[in-house]
Amino acid sequence: MEAIGASCSEVFKSSMCGAGCPLLETLQTGKPIIGKSGYIINQEGDKIPISISTAVLKNEFGEIIGGAETFRDLSEIWSLKQALDKRSHVGNLTSKSSLMQKIFEVIPAVAQSPSTVLILGDTGTGKELIARTIHEQSGAKGRFVAVNCSALPDTLLESELFGYKAGAFTGAVKDKPGRFDLAEGGTLLLDEIGDISPALQVRLLRVLQERTYEPLGSTTTKRAHLRIITATNKDLGELCRKGLFREDLYYRINVVNIQLPPLRSRKEDIPLLVEQFIQRFNVLQNKQIDRCSPETISLLMAYDWPGNIRELENVIERSFILCTGQEIEIHHLPQEILRVRQVPVSADIHSAHDLLDAQAIMGALERNNYNRLAAAKELGIHKATLFRKINKLGLQIPKSRS
Amino acid sequence: MGAAAYSIQGLRIAPVCDTADMVLVIPSTGNTLQVCRHQYPTFEEFLDRLEELEVDTLVCGALSRDLQYRFAAHEITAIPFICGKVSCVIEAYQAGVNLHECFAMPGCRCMNGRTRRTRRQRHARI
């Protein structure tokens, strides 16, 4: 009874209601839609995956008099799909790389434990994203707060982390909660932990051990009910040996350790990441770019990515600015990536493979002063195979310097 | 009292908050403004913006539990499963009317004014 006369979108509560209404599309085009996926939200707030099919209703004269919509509950299929996807997805993280899948396997267990986590990895490998995923998977009701420890001078960092009371120092006119306060019940990420001063290391050690802290100028102790995740691109073990990082703090934060591989070790993820960035920048920059051309992907795969995923993201962002069509082409890429283009690139699926081959061969030849026999030995292939590949790829090799 | 936000689609409350793009923020003092969710790269940044505007209540249509928890983490209490003309809902809310009695979405009336409460809200009431 409640549904009669009500708007269908308010009855169905489907993700497709509104701008993407399939029934409206069918009524406008006269064409049926079959199996469009989405979800509905039930009264308990659960998302129920569904597929929708639509058709027009016509009278005996062939005139459209309305439309029909059928819903199919996909909960069972979805749960099976999720079980399969679990191996390549965790939260917002997606990867096909075996190195990342090992990390994905431990994240759910890590998320459920309250232990301190240390995330190691080169700059731009996604340390904050991993920390955020651990927070989201943990089901913690508090918020995720990230602090870059190297971005602030020591005195400021202390007040930023622990907060201060009014009158604690000149200019402190009212109480300010610290990041520990803001992350109460949630997760605090201390990024670039390797850069904090010895004095702050001592304070942090105390918080980690006692789970208590005092805001600046306060005489009362506060309890810290939160998970702490630390991240760094530095070798903390080495810093400990040099006496720059406290060993006791290192052992305290290194309860669970996640080592993120650089992008050059997981190049199979590049097409996937590119696709994600394209979707993201389409929304942010209000563009309709569909994809990268196969040649562009080949070049992206051949590049070494010293700046890792952040660099890839910047390259795609730059290409978005220059690209006026629907496809990102080679000429939209920056010079440093175009430099890896040593062989003519063809637009077939083997071009990425060829580029990688060419790069490996050129690298081996350069290291061995263009001695083909030595290069073939280094590459672990027969010299005849090397000659065949050089000819096939059309590489211009200078004569051996020796 | 903080600001109230309304998840909208045209002149009505958006049927599904999870996919809605526009939020109308009515502060206790000052001008009404619209916040477009997809202007923010991440949902967290959108929540930060709402927090900056001192939003403490969100009136919306269907809302998934995950999203409700995320609003709650930013001290925003959701009043979900509301439908109707935005102007009428705002008027009723400002007059202190129980929105679930007059503006509940079809099939959600049995909630009789109860919203799904998060653990934080339950504790707050105690």
Side-chain angles (χ1 to χ4, degrees):
Chain A
M1 286 295 285
E2 283 180 45
I4 296 171
S7 161
C8 59
S9 61
E10 287 162 5
V11 177
F12 298 141
K13 306 169 191 80
S14 145
S15 59
M16 286 172 267
C17 292
C21 175
L23 191 58
L24 189 67
E25 196 184 322
T26 295
L27 290 174
Q28 282 169 350
T29 61
K31 289 177 186 166
I33 291 174
I34 297 162
K36 189 172 180 183
S37 302
Y39 60 84
I40 55 174
I41 297 176
N42 70 10
Q43 206 178 320
E44 299 303 315
D46 298 320
K47 283 182 182 175
I48 315 288
I50 51 157
S51 75
I52 291 182
S53 297
T54 59
V56 286
L57 293 175
K58 291 180 180 172
N59 63 13
E60 56 195 306
F61 307 109
E63 295 160 345
I64 295 173
I65 53 165
E69 202 168 28
T70 52
F71 293 78
R72 188 170 163 225
D73 186 348
L74 298 180
S75 301
E76 219 164 292
I77 297 168
W78 200 249
S79 58
L80 289 170
K81 190 177 175 293
Q82 271 189 326
L84 285 172
D85 279 357
K86 219 176 230 178
R87 282 180 288 181
S88 59
H89 288 259
V90 172
N92 289 327
L93 299 169
T94 312
S95 175
K96 287 178 179 171
S97 151
S98 56
L99 292 169
M100 286 302 288
Q101 277 169 21
K102 279 180 193 158
I103 294 172
F104 289 178
E105 279 166 23
V106 298
I107 283 182
V110 170
Q112 292 311 313
S113 83
S115 306
T116 307
V117 181
L118 172 63
I119 304 171
L120 299 164
D122 292 353
T123 179
T125 46
K127 296 187 284 291
E128 183 169 340
L129 199 59
I130 291 279
R132 198 178 280 278
T133 306
I134 291 174
H135 167 72
E136 281 164 10
Q137 297 271 310
S138 71
K141 301 295 183 289
R143 69 165 73 171
F144 175 83
V145 177
V147 187
N148 188 326
C149 298
S150 65
L152 295 168
D154 211 35
T155 44
L156 267 181
L157 183 60
E158 192 170 348
S159 63
E160 194 64 33
L161 287 179
F162 305 114
Y164 55 77
K165 304 296 279 183
F169 48 82
T170 313
V173 286
K174 60 177 186 177
D175 293 1
K176 186 187 176 229
R179 300 296 175 106
F180 273 87
D181 249 333
L182 293 174
E184 183 67 12
T187 306
L188 177 67
L189 168 67
L190 300 174
D191 203 358
E192 312 292 0
I193 188 80
D195 293 337
I196 62 170
S197 71
L200 202 58
Q201 287 176 30
V202 178
R203 282 207 71 178
L204 206 56
L205 179 65
R206 186 163 170 249
V207 179
L208 288 168
Q209 275 177 340
E210 313 290 330
R211 292 270 153 191
T212 59
Y213 65 96
E214 285 117 34
L216 291 178
S218 171
T219 49
T220 52
T221 302
K222 282 186 159 187
R223 279 208 78 76
H225 299 283
L226 74 166
R227 176 211 280 273
I228 294 173
I229 298 179
T230 54
T232 183
N233 57 3
K234 293 192 172 164
D235 182 350
L236 289 185
E238 184 61 30
L239 290 181
C240 286
R241 277 189 288 280
K242 287 181 180 168
L244 298 170
F245 201 83
R246 289 181 69 97
E247 267 191 46
D248 40 10
L249 178 61
Y250 175 53
Y251 295 130
R252 182 60 72 174
I253 60 175
N254 193 16
V255 180
V256 180
N257 170 323
I258 294 175
Q259 174 82 50
L260 290 178
L263 188 54
R264 63 180 170 276
S265 307
R266 40 179 286 220
K267 283 191 174 176
E268 60 269 47
D269 284 343
I270 288 176
L272 211 61
L273 291 164
V274 167
E275 199 181 306
Q276 283 182 353
F277 292 140
I278 287 177
Q279 281 172 9
R280 184 163 180 262
F281 289 123
N282 270 333
V283 172
L284 287 178
Q285 300 187 16
N286 199 21
K287 287 200 168 184
Q288 298 283 320
I289 292 173
D290 291 336
R291 61 186 193 128
C292 280
S293 69
E295 302 96 306
T296 312
I297 289 284
S298 304
L299 275 179
L300 296 177
M301 298 276 282
Y303 186 59
D304 239 11
W305 300 107
N308 293 297
I309 300 167
R310 188 180 293 128
E311 189 183 2
L312 175 63
E313 187 180 8
N314 291 344
V315 166
I316 301 297
E317 188 174 359
R318 178 192 189 274
S319 311
F320 255 72
I321 296 165
L322 301 177
C323 181
T324 48
Q326 290 190 322
E327 197 171 84
I328 296 175
E329 304 279 357
I330 285 182
H331 59 270
H332 298 131
L333 297 177
Q335 275 305 315
E336 63 266 27
I337 293 175
L338 294 177
R339 258 182 237 130
V340 300
R341 196 183 172 196
Q342 311 229 357
V343 288
V345 181
S346 58
D348 60 60
I349 57 165
H350 300 296
S351 52
H353 196 255
D354 287 350
L355 262 174
L356 289 171
D357 274 358
Q359 221 186 9
I361 291 169
M362 288 302 288
L365 284 165
E366 273 172 28
R367 282 190 296 277
N368 292 288
N369 293 325
Y370 296 97
N371 182 323
R372 290 152 176 78
L373 186 61
K377 267 188 189 165
E378 185 190 316
L379 291 166
I381 54 174
H382 193 269
K383 64 174 180 181
T385 311
L386 178 67
F387 279 111
R388 191 169 43 77
K389 279 186 182 281
I390 288 171
N391 285 334
K392 185 190 156 201
L393 297 168
L395 299 177
Q396 298 299 316
I397 313 290
K399 283 186 178 171
S400 170
R401 284 170 200 162
S402 59
Chain B
M1 190 180 154
Y6 301 82
S7 167
I8 61 168
Q9 186 178 300
L11 297 175
R12 295 182 71 81
I13 296 289
V16 180
C17 181
D18 292 48
T19 53
D21 190 31
M22 206 58 84
V23 166
L24 187 73
V25 178
I26 303 183
S28 48
T29 54
N31 295 329
T32 300
L33 73 153
Q34 287 197 354
V35 181
C36 178
R37 179 169 147 187
H38 291 114
Q39 274 178 350
Y40 298 89
T42 63
F43 190 69
E44 214 51 39
E45 285 169 62
F46 166 69
L47 288 174
D48 288 341
R49 175 67 181 139
L50 293 186
E51 202 173 3
E52 228 175 76
L53 295 168
E54 296 180 351
V55 171
D56 64 2
T57 308
L58 172 76
V59 177
C60 59
L63 175 67
S64 69
R65 198 181 296 129
D66 302 348
L67 217 59
Q68 188 174 9
Y69 284 149
R70 291 177 77 176
F71 280 118
H74 284 253
E75 309 287 335
I76 298 171
T77 307
I79 305 177
F81 297 100
I82 298 298
C83 65
K85 271 191 176 176
V86 179
S87 54
C88 301
V89 173
I90 293 173
E91 204 177 315
Y93 178 71
Q94 288 178 341
V97 172
N98 181 346
L99 294 180
H100 278 103
E101 278 175 10
C102 314
F103 297 97
M105 294 181 96
C108 302
R109 296 230 163 95
C110 55
M111 292 172 90
N112 198 21
R114 284 178 290 115
T115 58
R116 292 191 318 266
R117 280 178 290 147
T118 61
R119 192 187 300 171
R120 185 184 292 257
Q121 286 169 280
R122 280 197 292 271
H123 286 184
R125 289 203 176 192
I126 295 162

